[in-house]
Amino acid sequence: MSEKIIQIHDVGKTYHTGKIDFEALRNINLEIEKGDYVAILGPSGSGKSTLMHIIGCLATPTVGSYFLAGKEVSKFTSNDLAKARNLYIGFVFQKFNLMPQMTVLDNVSLPLLYRGIKTEERRSKAKEVLEQLGLASHLMHRSNELSGGQQQRVAVARALVTNPEVILADEPTGNLDSKSGEGVINLFNQLHEGGKTVILVTHDTAVAKNANRIIQIQDGTIRV
Amino acid sequence: MIMLREIIKELFYEQTRAILIILAVAWGTFAIVITLAVGDGLRLNFVQTMSDIGSRILVLTSGTSTKNYQGILANQSIKLTKRDAKAIADLPNLSSVTWRYNFQTKLRYQDKKTYADLRAVTPEYVLVHKVKTGPKQRFISYLDQKKMSSVIVLGSDTADRLFIKDNPVGNIVYVDNHPFTIIGVMQKRPQMIYADSVPDRWLNWIPSSTYELLNNPDKVDAIEVRYKDVGLIEQTKNSIQKLIAINHGADPSDPGIVDFQDVAQKQKKINNFFINMEIFLGIVGGLTLFLAGVGIANVMYASVKRATRQIGIQMALGATARYVVFRYIMESLVMTVIGGVIGMVVAVVFVYFINRIPLQGQILEWTGKPELSLSFLVLSIVVLVLGVTGLLAGLFPALKAAKIDPAEALTYE
């Protein structure tokens, strides 16, 4: 029997803006097994980003419980959430979110910095991952010296450097041309084949089709 | 160390911001170092000036009885005499005692004339006042006193007014037409406070015995004593008062019969003035540095706002709020330390050159030549103020940064 890496039970998320309460998610129940390849598909405003924030420990649910790798992170403090993100989640964002002042090598080694790993080891691990993704010749470049596709590969390398349980990608092809997007999706496919749990958050059905399982979300709930 | 390297890299990336902050801190540090150095330099110069002269001098002048006592009526002047001085010399806690007669008269040297203040004193005067004469010169000796010699020691000011440049020992000065042989000229020294009514350099000295021979005075103008232990000064004053009372048949408990002036008290007042001035200058310098600190905080606030998205990314990758706080405080401290070191180095170089400028002017006869002082105390205060400034300037922006919601920050444009 496969191990469940993500277990979400009756989760809801309400945002309070002034006197208005906005219910972004309600009654979300979701289980994802280790090694799964899941796409969370939904249109803009459907609540998929909120769900991604909760899965990625960037936010906690207002109600319900969320277990990540067997730990109830919905009750974690902000410090514990930060550690959980560093330990279990590798983020890939639509806008790459690389640090412009840093080199590719420094960007990729950044998550290891927060783990307190020494410079030499950080650099060596980052270099290894970048070489695996075909970026060995760009180690000392800054992000603005790279193409969109290359930047997203760097972001994937940064997500992988800590060897996390889950790769969580938010619209990873949204800022890329179709060829570069295809390259990045192929990368996720390979990661899944290598045994990683991959979660793609997207509004693009074509992207979602790469996953083994599609979870459709609309108006803050999962459509069955 | 890991963080420090990241911070320095970031400072290089945002050079203009870093340079402006560092310059502000450097200027603030320079200002506080210099103002404190000026204050401390003046105070230390005063302390040095006093240590050349000594402060444990008590000057006794005639008083007036305040009540009837035996044969003495109230408001009767008590005239101090040689006999009082000689009796006082036997009291404990006193190292030297002299008496003096004051008078002003005309001095003539060759064709030069001047009016001058003269003091007829005993040889002990030199022990009380530490007056120094030039090489191969001397002060009034016991032999001069015994022989009632017509010898004179000129004050440096009188020597200048009489245009005496070379060693004048053996030459004659006419004191009110009486010939006196010059035996010494007082060496110049700065003097901000003095036991007499005028600074020592304005005075000229002859043996008291010579004065007594010529004038047969019935009282002395003052008795001056150098005491040993400042802690026993009140007992010493009481003993002197009682002794004078006994000598003159006055009430021993009457404080009016003798007037005391304590040079140490004057010194204490002036020293306190310098300390207060130093505190004031320190506050002025500190405010300059504080303004630099406000500048840092402002720039850091702007920096945090601009870096909201980056902070969100860092948090998404695992940076804790504590890390973010620490990181921004460190950034502020790094810039403060760099600016502080630059400011201190520039101040040290500035002080080095300023201290080498030959100062001239009459004021220096009073104050001596004050040197800017970079004492351990000054530098400690500067380091402390810098540390607090850097910490506070970084703390508030850092707390703001730590409150950033990573989910929101990732969508921040």
Side-chain angles (χ1 to χ4, degrees), chain A residues 53 58 79 82 85-86 91 93 95 97 99-102 106 110-111 113-114 117 119 122-123 158, chain B residues 2-3 5-6 9-10 13 309-310 313-323 405-407 410 413:
Chain A
H53 288 156
L58 289 167
N79 258 354
R85 288 193 291 269
N86 187 261
F91 285 100
F93 301 100
K95 290 182 179 170
N97 283 344
M99 298 293 203
Q101 72 272 29
M102 292 182 183
D106 284 340
L110 201 55
L113 170 73
Y114 307 130
I117 292 171
T119 313
R122 261 172 26 221
R123 291 184 151 231
R158 186 178 63 184
Chain B
I2 294 170
M3 189 189 272
R5 203 171 301 156
E6 301 305 319
K9 269 186 194 173
E10 198 139 314
Y13 185 71
R309 191 183 179 89
Q310 291 197 18
I313 298 167
Q314 289 174 304
M315 285 177 150
L317 299 179
T320 59
R322 204 176 301 152
Y323 177 93
D405 177 349
L410 286 169
E413 294 296 334

Side-chain angles (χ1 to χ4, degrees), chain B residues 209-317:
Chain B
S209 56
T210 313
Y211 179 85
E212 285 155 5
L213 178 72
L214 293 170
N215 298 286
N216 196 25
D218 62 344
K219 67 173 183 74
V220 298
D221 288 308
I223 297 171
E224 294 180 342
V225 304
R226 180 174 281 272
Y227 55 87
K228 294 174 193 165
D229 185 354
V230 73
L232 298 172
I233 189 64
E234 286 311 313
Q235 289 98 305
T236 305
K237 279 182 178 175
N238 277 335
S239 306
I240 292 172
Q241 184 184 310
K242 278 179 191 161
L243 200 147
I244 290 169
I246 290 165
N247 277 355
H248 295 266
D251 182 355
S253 66
D254 185 352
I257 60 166
V258 59
D259 193 42
F260 291 101
Q261 274 189 55
D262 192 349
V263 176
Q265 289 298 325
K266 289 186 189 175
Q267 186 194 10
K268 206 173 166 184
K269 275 184 194 166
I270 295 188
N271 202 27
N272 285 343
F273 164 78
F274 278 113
I275 289 170
N276 287 335
M277 185 177 75
E278 217 172 324
I279 292 169
F280 172 74
L281 289 175
I283 290 170
V284 171
L287 278 175
T288 315
L289 196 55
F290 172 75
L291 287 177
V294 171
I296 300 177
N298 256 329
V299 176
M300 295 281 288
Y301 263 119
S303 166
V304 165
K305 191 156 177 59
R306 207 170 54 246
T308 300
R309 191 183 179 89
Q310 291 197 18
I311 293 167
I313 298 167
Q314 289 174 304
M315 285 177 150
L317 299 179

Side-chain angles (χ1 to χ4, degrees), chain B residues 52-239:
Chain B
D52 288 348
I53 299 162
S55 61
R56 295 193 309 275
I57 301 172
L58 208 52
V59 181
L60 286 58
T61 47
S62 297
T64 308
S65 61
T66 57
K67 46 192 167 184
N68 297 335
Y69 182 81
Q70 297 176 352
I72 300 285
L73 296 172
N75 294 325
Q76 187 170 329
S77 173
I78 307 294
K79 292 175 180 172
L80 295 180
T81 62
K82 268 166 64 176
R83 184 172 152 247
D84 294 326
K86 284 176 180 168
I88 287 168
D90 293 332
L91 290 174
N93 194 34
L94 299 179
S95 57
S96 324
V97 178
T98 183
W99 63 87
R100 64 170 150 89
Y101 303 99
N102 308 339
F103 62 106
Q104 271 194 320
T105 192
K106 189 171 68 186
L107 295 187
R108 179 164 60 84
Y109 176 74
Q110 296 169 349
D111 58 342
K112 307 283 183 319
K113 292 176 193 167
T114 185
Y115 273 92
D117 283 289
L118 276 96
R119 298 290 180 263
V121 297
T122 69
E124 283 85 2
Y125 184 92
V126 77
L127 301 173
V128 175
H129 286 272
K130 295 186 179 174
V131 174
K132 284 180 185 151
T133 51
K136 295 181 182 172
Q137 300 177 1
R138 64 180 178 83
F139 199 73
I140 295 158
S141 70
Y142 290 98
L143 194 63
D144 296 326
Q145 180 76 345
K146 191 178 172 189
K147 292 170 75 175
M148 295 177 251
S149 308
S150 294
V151 291
I152 186 166
V153 177
L154 297 176
S156 54
D157 202 59
T158 308
D160 285 345
R161 276 189 280 145
L162 293 174
F163 299 96
I164 294 171
K165 287 200 174 81
D166 303 324
N167 188 351
V169 169
N171 290 357
I172 301 294
V173 160
Y174 287 88
V175 178
D176 204 16
N177 293 328
H178 294 283
F180 278 71
T181 308
I182 299 171
I183 55 170
V185 176
M186 175 207 160
Q187 281 187 344
K188 281 186 182 179
R189 65 179 180 193
Q191 200 179 9
M192 289 171 79
I193 56 173
Y194 28 89
D196 211 315
S197 53
V198 290
D200 290 351
R201 65 179 178 278
W202 291 4
L203 299 174
N204 307 277
W205 300 272
I206 62 168
S208 59
S209 56
T210 313
Y211 179 85
E212 285 155 5
L213 178 72
L214 293 170
N215 298 286
N216 196 25
D218 62 344
K219 67 173 183 74
V220 298
D221 288 308
I223 297 171
E224 294 180 342
V225 304
R226 180 174 281 272
Y227 55 87
K228 294 174 193 165
D229 185 354
V230 73
L232 298 172
I233 189 64
E234 286 311 313
Q235 289 98 305
T236 305
K237 279 182 178 175
N238 277 335
S239 306

Side-chain angles (χ1 to χ4, degrees), chain A residues 16-17 44 152 158 178-179 205 218:
Chain A
H16 309 280
T17 46
S44 179
Q152 196 60 305
R158 186 178 63 184
S178 57
K179 197 182 166 200
T205 319
Q218 196 164 17

